[in-house]
Amino acid sequence: MTAHTSTRTHTVIESPVGPLTLVAADGRLCGLYMTDQRHRPPEETFGPRDDAEPLFARTAEQLTAYFAGELTTFRLPLALEGTPFRRRVWAALQDIPYGETLSYGQLADRLGQPGASRAVGLANGRNPVGIVVPCHRVVGATGSLTGYGGGLDRKRQLLALERGGVPAAVAGPPTVQEGIF
């Protein structure tokens, strides 16, 4: 499904890692973007605001459980738009267990393309549904925190949460924000 044949809507929720913009296409999550995220699409592509979209309530509930350390795998319908290679990378990201990390090279190996760690990194950076599709679980070859579209501080927070810590700004469940758009 492409942006030209789908009906998109969005909302904004609060989370422990800041406001998250959720975008749906025909009832499936196609975007989860953080403030100041690298490769964030223009807001006009998100469609009209629709705080009543049932998918957004389900997503907020699951994010609440995730940030509380009670959910390790998201169960949401996704509409991930990208090249076949990017979609393969994003599918492989979903196989990285909660609380664990892989290097870009290890992920490339899993895809059967051991020389493609740079391409894996580029696809990882274009993940349109961060957190739900856990691109934060990919690290440098030495285990170092390298690149994250939402910023290294957020990556650090998410990994700490998954390893039994609590994100710095836990302020309760995500809620719809008024007046953002």
Side-chain angles (χ1 to χ4, degrees):
M1 189 172 293
T2 66
H4 303 291
T5 61
S6 63
T7 301
R8 289 176 181 250
T9 59
H10 79 277
T11 195
V12 178
I13 63 172
E14 280 297 324
S15 83
V17 293
L20 301 175
T21 300
L22 307 178
V23 182
D26 300 322
R28 297 186 301 161
L29 191 65
C30 66
L32 186 157
Y33 302 104
M34 300 172 198
T35 305
D36 301 323
Q37 180 171 331
R38 192 175 344 130
H39 306 301
R40 180 184 168 115
E43 290 178 15
E44 57 268 15
T45 66
F46 297 161
R49 183 153 181 161
D50 181 3
D51 297 338
E53 164 62 56
L55 175 65
F56 297 147
R58 282 183 56 205
T59 304
E61 287 171 12
Q62 289 189 30
L63 285 165
T64 297
Y66 169 81
F67 284 115
E70 299 165 357
L71 181 106
T72 60
T73 303
F74 290 91
R75 302 273 186 239
L76 297 165
L78 301 177
L80 303 178
E81 299 173 2
T83 66
F85 180 77
R86 286 181 181 172
R87 289 194 312 265
R88 282 183 58 221
V89 170
W90 300 334
L93 291 173
Q94 295 175 73
D95 292 333
I96 302 172
Y98 179 90
E100 295 183 22
T101 58
L102 284 181
S103 71
Y104 295 98
Q106 289 171 317
L107 194 55
D109 287 345
R110 282 191 178 188
L111 292 168
Q113 296 187 255
S117 60
R118 285 186 65 93
V120 164
L122 292 171
N124 199 46
R126 293 290 185 163
N127 173 14
V129 185
I131 303 173
V132 171
V133 175
C135 54
H136 59 276
R137 295 181 188 155
V138 183
V139 297
T142 63
S144 60
L145 297 187
T146 60
Y148 183 61
L152 289 181
D153 284 342
R154 287 188 183 117
K155 183 173 188 165
R156 201 172 286 113
Q157 285 179 292
L158 294 169
L159 291 174
L161 166 73
E162 292 187 9
R163 291 181 176 145
V166 177
V170 174
T175 58
V176 173
Q177 262 190 331
E178 297 300 325
I180 296 294
F181 296 104

